[in-house]
Amino acid sequence: AIPEELSQLSSLRSLQLNNNQLSGDIPTALTQLEKPVFGLRSLTLFNNCLTIPTPETQQVFDSLIDSYNSLDDACAQQQPVISDSERSALIALYQATDGDNWYYNEGWLGEAGTECEWFGVSCHNNSILAVQLPQNNLTGQLPAEI
């Protein structure tokens, strides 16, 4: 669960907790962080199992949650299943950029169906949304599959 105590971070501007195994209500106290000048501006929560607790907080959360960050299908019982071509592109990226020597490569080259759990990979609606591997010791060239 997301702890209510996060609302104590009075200067928090961005909270990115996507692609985890969080569940339950998004703490209502987070709406108190939404201020005109300072305060929470971005909330990224997709690929979790979270709900907005009350209709009154829906409008505030709607202003913080990006359109691709929908919570509608966040409680699916299974991970998104990406296409074989997307899996192949990820594997080609790993191989072409010396993935065995990346600083962080947790999960990479795991069984089919685990791609959305690979370090740096974000999925939504059965496709890859982002691959984020900054400062990760990649070497080589990006493969054509990317």
Side-chain angles (χ1 to χ4, degrees), residues 18 60-61 97 113 130 144:
N18 52 298
V60 174
F61 284 126
T97 59

Side-chain angles (χ1 to χ4, degrees), residues 94-114:
Y94 184 89
Q95 293 170 339
T97 59
D98 196 22
D100 288 340
N101 290 307
W102 292 353
Y103 294 128
Y104 305 102
N105 61 5
E106 293 85 14
W108 279 80
L109 305 184
E111 294 180 31
T114 65

